[in-house]
Amino acid sequence: MTAALATAATAVTPMATPPGLSCDTGKHRIDDHTGYALCRNNGTTTQTFWVHLVCGWSPDVDGEHVTLNPGQSGQSTAHCAGIGTGIGKISVRP
């Protein structure tokens, strides 16, 4: 499932990425309510990040916290409730 999320995205308005991380964000191509942040730690210290989804009519949600050593990559995913309008914005939080 992780690879599917990373390779099959629809763009959503991204917010600023925390310093030291390079990230791609997007929606799952089959599920408009699932979003992800795929990040690489380009810095020299360990960093933790998570994806934050603004979900329209449903409460906003955060994905799992992912800790990366320098040079590592990882992905955080989250899912907006099905009763809402889907993902309005995706951001990466430090």
Side-chain angles (χ1 to χ4, degrees):
M1 184 165 146
T2 300
L5 288 175
T7 60
T10 301
V12 174
T13 305
M15 303 300 282
T17 300
L21 294 175
S22 61
C23 301
D24 291 317
T25 61
K27 291 183 196 177
H28 189 281
R29 75 172 154 176
I30 298 172
D31 180 1
D32 268 356
H33 289 80
T34 300
Y36 70 89
L38 176 61
C39 298
R40 177 175 173 79
N41 181 352
N42 294 322
T44 58
T45 61
T46 300
Q47 294 201 45
T48 299
F49 76 94
W50 59 94
V51 68
H52 175 78
L53 306 180
V54 175
C55 295
W57 294 343
S58 298
D60 296 350
V61 293
D62 289 327
E64 66 277 5
H65 291 208
V66 178
T67 301
L68 301 175
N69 290 319
Q72 285 186 320
S73 296
Q75 182 171 288
S76 175
T77 60
H79 185 81
C80 292
I83 60 170
T85 55
I87 301 169
K89 290 185 181 178
I90 299 175
S91 61
V92 179
R93 301 280 173 96

